[in-house]
Amino acid sequence: MKEFRIAVYPGDGIGVEVTEHTVRLLQALQECCGDFTLHLETFPWGGDYYIEHGRTAPEDYLEILKPFDAIFLGAIGDPARIPDHITLAPLIGIRQSFDQYACVRPARLFEGVSTPLAGRGAGDIDMVVIRENSEGEYIDNGGRFKKGKADEFAVQTALHTRKGIERILHFGFEQARKRKNHLTLITKSNALKYSYVLWDEIFEEMRPNYSDVETQKFHIDAAVMNFVRWPDRFDVVVGSNLFGDILTDLSGCLVGGLGLAPSANINPERDFPSMFEPVHGSAPDIAGKGIANPTAAFLSAAMMLEWLELNDAADRIRRSIESTLAAGETTADLGGTLNSTDYTERVLSRLEASK
Ligand code: NAD
Ligand code: IPM
Ligand code: MN
């Protein structure tokens, strides 16, 4: 029997709701079909914790999380009570401190789900965005000056290192080899002449080592246009931290919405736990209504199981979701009538048969 310790960080809003359903899914999976045990430990960090303790997570949250085999996160953000840059700090802290430099965000159009794009059907969109997750625009480097004065200014400097670019491109090329041997690089090297020119140069240096992988390049502005008009021309897409963030709300939207978009923050060397979370946030507009689509969280849990080499369990989740969606049994964001609990029941009922 394989055993794993999983840290569960539900967060805020629908993060708590989709995590609750994911925990049910993982428990059902172990009962019906698993030769594994997941020891789940939940950490109630987020907005309520902040009100009580003046911080959204304890000071030693990284030491607490480090011994786990993986982290499952719902979503963080309580914008009505706490500024986002305070609440979200632990999320970025985990990604960077645990060197989860490869953020993997697949987007596939499932049968039974409609896309906002005309004339596209199941299978026409199947891409994965590999987002550089450890540096770029997200590092804590900058300052505010002359606060409150008329000439106040802020400086926020992005960092792009050779090591960071090489390792994410290597990761992307390897992913491409496991998929359709196609990789798109996203930059903005026509305007940002230091950082993204370095990306371009390293890409050209590395390409000959992956001559079996076909490549294309777009600047981020053209890329968002091409995601919409030619989504079928993308397989693996590699971009910096900020570009990857922006692209994956779009890729999620193209395949039916953020309720379906999973993500994995991977430390490929396995020196630290990796973290699995939906792409979406805490969705205050629907929080508390019991209608959030938990599929993105379920698919993130499947990515976690795959990372733990529990491939059969991961496949069962994916297949159960696919047949539930194909049967038109969906939540309101996909045009259905099911609430989160009833939808989860439909997925659970298929686990055993989804070999
Ligand atoms: P959001 O992703 O929470 O919501 C965007 C839209 O998508 C909303 O209309 C929402 O109702 C819908 N949506 C998202 N997930 C859904 C689901 N599972 N089912 C059905 N509909 C869903 O983005 P936002 O509103 O810009 O941000 C809300 C808060 O979440 C902010 O505090 C933001 O900073 C934070 N945030 C956190 C994360 C994270 O924890 N990883 C990610 C993104 C945003
Ligand atoms: C995401 C989110 C986060 C990000 C925010 C909430 C800090 O948008 O995971 O996509 O920008 O990485
Ligand atoms: Mn985002």
Side-chain angles (χ1 to χ4, degrees), residues 181-241:
N181 275 297
H182 190 281
L183 182 145
T184 306
L185 176 67
I186 311 295
T187 69
K188 184 61 189 170
S189 54
N190 53 356
L192 304 182
K193 64 183 185 180
Y194 305 115
S195 50
Y196 288 107
V197 170
L198 180 62
W199 277 80
D200 278 352
E201 286 177 9
I202 295 174
F203 181 62
E204 288 309 325
E205 285 169 26
M206 291 176 67
R207 252 171 12 110
N209 300 328
Y210 299 95
S211 51
D212 51 319
V213 178
E214 196 188 327
T215 61
Q216 62 183 357
K217 280 186 356 184
F218 295 116
H219 299 303
I220 181 67
D221 46 354
V224 293
M225 173 181 69
N226 289 332
F227 263 35
V228 172
R229 66 175 176 166
W230 301 327
D232 50 329
R233 296 194 199 172
F234 294 91
D235 177 29
V236 172
V237 179
V238 180
S240 67
N241 212 334

Side-chain angles (χ1 to χ4, degrees), residues 73 76-77 84-85 88-89 91-92 95 103 105 131 133 138 241-242 244-246 248-249 263 265 277-282:
L73 185 136
I76 312 179
D84 271 348
H85 69 275
L88 272 306
L91 177 74
I92 296 171
R95 291 175 182 168
C103 179
R105 297 188 157 185
R131 165 184 183 187
N133 215 28
Y138 278 61
N241 212 334
L242 183 61
D245 176 45
I246 296 166
T248 49
D249 264 34
S263 114
N265 304 276
E277 53 165 338
V279 171
H280 66 71
S282 55

